[in-house]
Amino acid sequence: MKVQLQQKIAFSVLFFCTLLVVVPVLLILVIISIKGFSAIDLGFLTEMPTSGMTAGGIFPAILGTLYLVFGAILFAVPLGVLSAIYLVEYSKDNVLSRLVRLAIVNLAGVPSVVYGLFGLGIFVLFLGFGASILSGSLTLGIMILPVIITASREALESVPRSFRIVSFSLGASKWQTIRHSVLPHALPGILTGTILGLGRAAGETAPILFTVAAFYLPRLPQSVFDQTMALPYHLYVISTQVPGIPENIRYGTALVLLLLVLLLNLAAIILRYRFRKRKKW
Amino acid sequence: MVEPDNTKLSIRDLTIRFGNATALNKFSLDIRRNEIFTIIGPANSGKSSLLQSLNRLNDLNPVYQKSGTVLIDGQDVDKIDAESLRKRVGIVFALPFPLPLSIFDNIAYGPRMHGIRNKKKLSEIVEKGLRDAYLWDEVKDRLQTPAMNLSGGQQQRLCIARILAVDPEVIMFDEPTSGLDPISTARVEETLRVLKQRYTIILVTNNVAQAARVGDRTAFLLMGELIEVDETKHLFTSPKDKRTDDYITGKFG
Amino acid sequence: MRFRKAKEFVIERLIYLSGFMSIVFVVLIFAFLLKEGLSMFWRVPISDFLFARNWYPISDPPQFGILPLILGSIFVTAGAGVISIPIGIGSALFIAEIAPRRTKEVLKAGIELLAAIPSVVIGFIGMVTLVPLIKNLFDLSTGLTALTGSITLAFMAMPTIVSIAEDAITAVPRQYREAAVAMGATKWQTTWRIVAYAARPGMVAAIMLGIGRVIGETMAVMMVTGNAALIPHSMLQPVRTLTATIAAEMGETVQGGEHYAALFAIGIVLFIVTFLINGVADVYLHKTKK
């Protein structure tokens, strides 16, 4: 009987731990939704900030984040997918491929603010791009590279070996085999990774601090060499750097950012779930 | 022995290793044009490894090592570009592996990879392949449906049609009926007899009776060694080696 | 045919090139940190930089001792570890061993979403909920403390700890459980004595990666810890971490100046620390796979 009681207590404790992890997620969502909802209307999403950011919308921050994320994806997806193809289809088990794997693990672990320093050093100063959308996108792109590589790798590895063997046995070349018998079936997984990368890039602040983000700009960026405002940095600015910002603007901005990131992640989770269910092999 | 001009494949002192394990040891054999050459032997006697060396599919395995030579029409297979070789020496595996594509696209896969883009030509190739594999009548109305939806026997004939579509010279069958019911098996065997008029056929089987039914000549492999090779009827009526006799009479294996 | 061969040749070179880009980027990151930050160590010896007690980068003469920042990071990280490790491991055990299948799927999705919340949003939430709470609870003059940072960051470490530990626990072979149950152990005894024990290397990796995430975290910590670059004596004081220092001060520096180089030198320290943590975590991760 004592053993049973012990088990009951232990399971309750573990359950409580799980609650402690999950409930705050809901709490965050609820608090931000309730307080931020009143701020959001069409004007908030489509207008420029006015009166020292204490009124008006957050359009330039939203647009800037979209630019940055798009640029990061443009850079990271081709590179990441090719890199995953190298790891799964071409690399042999040797020192070099182990080094590549180690490098990916470490890229994933580099603190985001260090990416910011790196972006400042190489893109802004050394290559002379200045603080610009180009510098910020490239910095974010390198930061999400491990996400894309890891997801693409898993997707490629999940394609059965038999597809490759059959393709080779019909006289297809290695690239033809990858292009026609492997990649099409790995596509949903790669797409999932891409969306996760999008979400990560959209929410990061530290990498764009010194490479692109502007405190406030009276006009929208005109080229990739312009600075831009961005949602996460904007939230940081209006919640810590500028006094007197109305509460609902702060919560509203947080809600827009949170929704953008969570919807992207939710899309990735659903896509992956459906893909796993649908798989026939 | 065999007249040289009648030899399609010539295997000389072929030794195959995977890491430290020897799959085939000092193996020599000639295979003639337009015969059904069957290879029998218990599991793990090196039959599949032999087939996959003939079209260099083994090259994909990083621990594969080989010595000795394989000649096709007198030419060393290692000196031929692997893709052209695999187009000439096709293989049908034990399990049918349809690609997750439509029936049409499965069969058109090979020709497309070899540069045939013309829709009309592809349709002709697909139809001819399916007819030769005796599958046309069953699937002609649903060529665009997924090949995965076919039954096991139909899938195996699809794989035969798929290899016929690349127009090979040699077709190797690696236990093609091991997963099939007797009726499907009979159909595949019937297909083999027809195909041998145009192709050289190598059939690996662990079904001794099947070898006796369809083989022109038969080789018996045991533990990576060639024990005996002869006309099928001789091998089955008067085997020279005791081990062959034991195997075909079902004493082991 | 010849065109196809040429095209494939180019594509395959590109694939090899892309494969090695990860190495190139790691080397480039380190190289550029060194390029901008190494000059610091010509002016201030490494031991002084790491262990001097004063960080006054803009006084005259400036003092570049990062000990208060290192201690700030250690305080916040240790606090976050104390909170997140038991909770994270406990919840990983619950999700992997106890939760029914459907609940498990939902919980895992929930944890993935927690991991996805941008750090600036977590910092914002910490600012508006936790900071006043801590202030009132302990009757402090400010709620921006190391403790606030620890609690906030614990929530950023937990998803990492839970998901990696959960993988490790799930990977324990079923025979272990069956053998234990066959010998009459209860489900809890099996979970705790057998499964958790067998999954230890994976749990170590999970904890290391969680800690790595906390050390590198910037925005949330900057928003809730008060950013006072003083040697902390208690969890209820404001602190400033290594990461927050870089983020907060880079804007004020002159490119190529001493302060600028000092911030890159902090970057070098962070890079090396996280490199080691991730390397060790990777070793443990591979232990579980075998």
Side-chain angles (χ1 to χ4, degrees):
Chain A
M1 213 57 237
K2 200 178 138 227
V3 189
Q4 290 301 321
L5 185 69
Q6 185 195 22
Q7 165 155 325
K8 218 166 218 170
I9 294 171
F11 281 8
S12 308
V13 170
L14 295 189
F15 177 66
F16 186 66
C17 287
T18 312
L19 283 185
L20 275 178
V21 180
V22 177
V23 168
V25 190
L26 298 175
L27 225 54
I28 292 174
L29 283 174
V30 169
I31 295 176
I32 295 189
S33 302
I34 290 175
K35 295 205 176 178
F37 192 70
S38 66
I40 296 184
D41 54 30
L42 196 63
F44 188 67
L45 298 177
T46 58
E47 284 167 15
M48 303 289 286
T50 53
S51 323
M53 295 188 277
T54 57
I58 54 168
F59 179 65
I62 296 175
L63 186 71
T65 284
L66 293 182
Y67 282 156
L68 288 174
V69 166
F70 182 70
I73 286 294
L74 214 58
F75 171 75
V77 169
L79 195 59
V81 172
L82 286 180
S83 177
I85 292 178
Y86 164 76
L87 284 170
V88 178
E89 310 289 341
Y90 285 88
S91 77
K92 302 187 173 65
D93 191 18
N94 56 23
V95 181
L96 198 62
S97 72
R98 249 170 277 164
L99 270 180
V100 172
R101 278 162 227 264
L102 186 69
I104 294 167
V105 167
N106 278 295
L107 274 186
V110 170
S112 54
V113 73
V114 173
Y115 276 108
L117 290 178
F118 171 62
L120 172 65
I122 189 170
F123 301 123
V124 177
L125 301 174
F126 185 73
L127 295 176
F129 299 156
S132 62
I133 293 177
L134 183 60
S135 299
S137 290
L138 289 172
T139 309
L140 287 173
I142 296 174
M143 189 193 70
I144 61 170
L145 198 57
V147 180
I148 310 251
I149 295 178
T150 310
S152 307
R153 226 178 99 184
E154 278 173 19
L156 291 169
E157 276 168 356
S158 76
V159 177
R161 231 178 90 76
S162 64
F163 292 9
R164 298 176 176 86
I165 302 280
V166 163
S167 176
F168 281 125
S169 77
L170 293 169
S173 68
K174 181 143 192 168
W175 171 247
Q176 285 179 320
T177 298
I178 294 169
R179 169 72 187 73
H180 296 283
S181 274
V182 181
L183 268 184
H185 311 299
L187 218 52
I190 293 173
L191 192 61
T192 309
T194 304
I195 299 174
L196 289 176
L198 275 172
R200 175 94 196 275
E204 277 289 350
T205 316
I208 58 174
L209 273 179
F210 331 126
T211 54
V212 49
F215 191 82
Y216 171 73
L217 287 174
R219 59 179 200 132
L220 298 175
Q222 305 298 312
S223 83
V224 291
F225 293 106
D226 282 352
Q227 273 191 288
T228 179
M229 295 172 74
L231 262 183
Y233 183 60
H234 188 65
L235 176 60
Y236 171 70
V237 164
I238 60 174
S239 50
T240 64
Q241 307 291 298
V242 184
I245 305 272
E247 194 179 59
N248 70 338
I249 288 197
R250 287 159 54 186
Y251 280 99
T253 307
L255 182 57
V256 172
L257 177 59
L258 193 63
L259 280 182
L260 177 69
V261 171
L262 289 191
L263 287 181
L264 283 171
N265 276 274
L266 209 59
I269 291 173
I270 291 169
L271 185 71
R272 187 175 49 206
Y273 184 71
R274 291 186 51 164
F275 174 51
R276 278 190 191 148
K277 271 189 110 168
R278 204 197 49 180
K279 250 194 325 203
K280 291 188 216 86
W281 53 81
Chain B
M1 272 212 28
V2 186
E3 290 171 43
D5 56 336
N6 201 22
T7 303
K8 183 69 189 175
L9 283 166
S10 178
I11 303 158
R12 290 283 166 269
D13 294 328
L14 182 66
T15 297
I16 300 176
R17 279 194 200 86
F18 295 102
N20 292 324
T22 304
L24 214 57
N25 193 14
K26 287 256 176 195
F27 187 90
S28 294
L29 185 69
D30 285 321
I31 292 165
R32 299 171 194 161
R33 269 175 231 286
N34 299 85
E35 71 173 340
I36 297 182
F37 189 92
T38 58
I39 301 173
I40 56 172
N44 293 322
S45 51
K47 298 168 297 185
S48 298
S49 308
L50 169 64
L51 292 193
Q52 301 211 4
S53 279
L54 300 187
N55 69 353
R56 290 176 56 193
L57 269 185
N58 277 332
D59 292 10
L60 304 174
N61 188 331
V63 295
Y64 167 69
Q65 291 165 291
K66 83 169 225 190
S67 64
T69 51
V70 176
L71 305 175
I72 178 167
D73 294 332
Q75 200 183 2
D76 188 339
V77 293
D78 286 328
K79 304 232 164 72
I80 308 174
D81 158 61
E83 291 140 39
S84 321
L85 174 69
R86 290 177 194 143
K87 188 176 175 303
R88 291 168 69 185
V89 184
I91 186 165
V92 174
F93 298 99
L95 292 171
F97 288 127
L99 296 167
L101 303 168
S102 69
I103 296 172
F104 185 95
D105 288 340
N106 256 280
I107 296 165
Y109 187 89
R112 278 185 176 136
M113 292 305 114
H114 298 112
I116 297 173
R117 289 268 174 277
N118 183 310
K119 279 230 172 79
K120 197 163 154 274
K121 191 146 186 228
L122 280 175
S123 303
E124 284 168 21
I125 292 174
V126 169
E127 177 171 348
K128 186 166 185 310
L130 284 169
R131 282 190 189 281
D132 288 349
Y134 294 99
L135 192 58
W136 174 252
D137 289 334
E138 293 163 55
V139 301
K140 65 182 175 202
D141 299 324
R142 47 175 175 140
L143 292 178
Q144 298 307 327
T145 60
M148 298 266 188
N149 294 353
L150 296 173
S151 73
Q154 288 172 326
Q155 286 189 3
Q156 195 55 291
R157 276 178 284 145
L158 175 94
C159 292
I160 296 175
R162 187 168 66 187
I163 201 66
L164 292 175
V166 299
D167 195 23
E169 299 160 18
V170 180
I171 308 178
M172 309 186 288
F173 291 86
D174 189 354
E175 303 184 11
T177 58
S178 59
L180 301 186
D181 59 274
I183 295 171
S184 301
T185 301
R187 291 202 141 192
V188 171
E189 286 177 9
E190 184 51 39
T191 312
L192 294 182
R193 287 195 197 96
V194 177
L195 291 179
K196 89 169 203 188
Q197 285 150 30
R198 280 184 286 143
Y199 305 98
T200 301
I201 288 176
I202 307 173
L203 170 67
V204 159
T205 179
N206 52 12
N207 176 344
V208 176
Q210 183 171 55
R213 282 197 298 271
V214 299
D216 292 318
R217 289 193 306 144
T218 298
F220 173 55
L221 252 72
L222 184 64
M223 311 277 283
E225 308 268 354
L226 177 61
I227 306 297
E228 189 169 352
V229 55
D230 207 339
E231 301 290 325
T232 301
K233 47 183 185 283
H234 291 158
L235 189 101
F236 276 88
T237 49
S238 50
K240 295 182 190 70
D241 194 291
K242 170 108 178 30
R243 287 168 296 181
T244 314
D245 193 28
D246 286 348
Y247 182 70
I248 58 182
T249 54
K251 293 213 175 97
F252 73 94
Chain C
M1 186 68 182
R2 178 171 292 172
F3 172 73
R4 204 194 83 200
K5 291 258 167 192
K7 189 182 91 180
E8 291 185 1
F9 181 82
V10 172
I11 290 171
E12 297 198 335
R13 292 310 104 162
L14 271 178
I15 288 172
Y16 277 100
L17 196 68
S18 307
F20 303 136
M21 280 315 272
S22 300
I23 299 181
V24 171
F25 286 138
V26 171
V27 172
L28 273 182
I29 290 173
F30 197 50
F32 270 88
L33 293 177
L34 289 179
K35 173 177 177 290
E36 305 289 333
L38 210 54
S39 67
M40 192 65 219
F41 302 123
W42 311 151
R43 287 172 235 187
V44 182
I46 292 186
S47 60
D48 285 3
F49 181 71
L50 291 178
F51 301 118
R53 302 171 60 92
N54 293 317
W55 175 259
Y56 298 137
I58 44 177
S59 63
D60 193 23
Q63 294 185 50
F64 297 107
I66 64 169
L67 187 64
L69 314 178
I70 292 176
L71 286 175
S73 280
I74 289 176
F75 267 57
V76 172
T77 305
V82 166
I83 300 165
S84 63
I85 292 167
I87 296 178
I89 299 286
S91 119
L93 280 172
F94 182 82
I95 294 175
E97 293 292 300
I98 301 164
R101 235 186 91 82
R102 284 201 65 86
T103 319
K104 186 171 167 162
E105 296 290 330
V106 174
L107 286 173
K108 284 175 79 167
I111 279 158
E112 210 171 319
L113 289 183
L114 178 58
I117 298 176
S119 71
V120 64
V121 172
I122 297 219
F124 175 70
I125 283 291
M127 247 176 66
V128 294
T129 57
L130 217 51
V131 169
L133 187 73
I134 298 268
K135 179 174 186 301
N136 297 332
L137 207 59
F138 296 99
D139 196 20
L140 302 169
S141 58
T142 171
L144 301 165
T145 65
L147 180 64
T148 324
S150 292
I151 299 172
T152 311
L153 287 194
F155 285 105
M156 310 202 65
M158 276 192 269
T160 309
I161 296 178
V162 175
S163 67
I164 294 170
E166 197 261 337
D167 283 347
I169 295 163
T170 309
V172 173
R174 186 196 311 228
Q175 293 92 305
Y176 286 32
R177 298 180 180 87
E178 283 165 0
V181 171
M183 290 190 301
T186 62
K187 184 158 186 190
W188 162 245
Q189 286 167 333
T190 311
T191 302
W192 185 243
R193 303 233 177 99
I194 308 294
V195 178
Y197 190 80
R200 268 175 320 157
M203 291 189 182
V204 173
I207 291 168
M208 304 278 297
L209 290 172
I211 296 286
R213 185 156 183 214
V214 170
I215 293 179
E217 175 40 49
T218 311
M219 298 314 287
V221 82
M222 183 157 76
M223 293 164 85
V224 299
T225 52
N227 296 322
L230 299 170
I231 294 204
H233 297 285
S234 101
M235 290 297 285
L236 296 175
Q237 281 179 327
V239 292
R240 160 175 280 201
T241 63
L242 294 165
T243 49
T245 307
I246 301 175
E249 296 180 7
M250 186 53 90
E252 308 158 8
T253 63
V254 181
Q255 185 217 324
E258 270 190 320
H259 190 187
Y260 172 89
L263 296 182
F264 271 91
I266 295 175
I268 297 174
V269 173
L270 275 173
F271 182 86
I272 293 173
V273 170
T274 48
F275 192 98
L276 292 177
I277 288 177
N278 284 291
V280 175
D282 200 49
V283 171
Y284 276 98
L285 219 50
H286 282 289
K287 263 192 199 166
T288 16
K289 292 230 172 92
K290 285 168 197 161

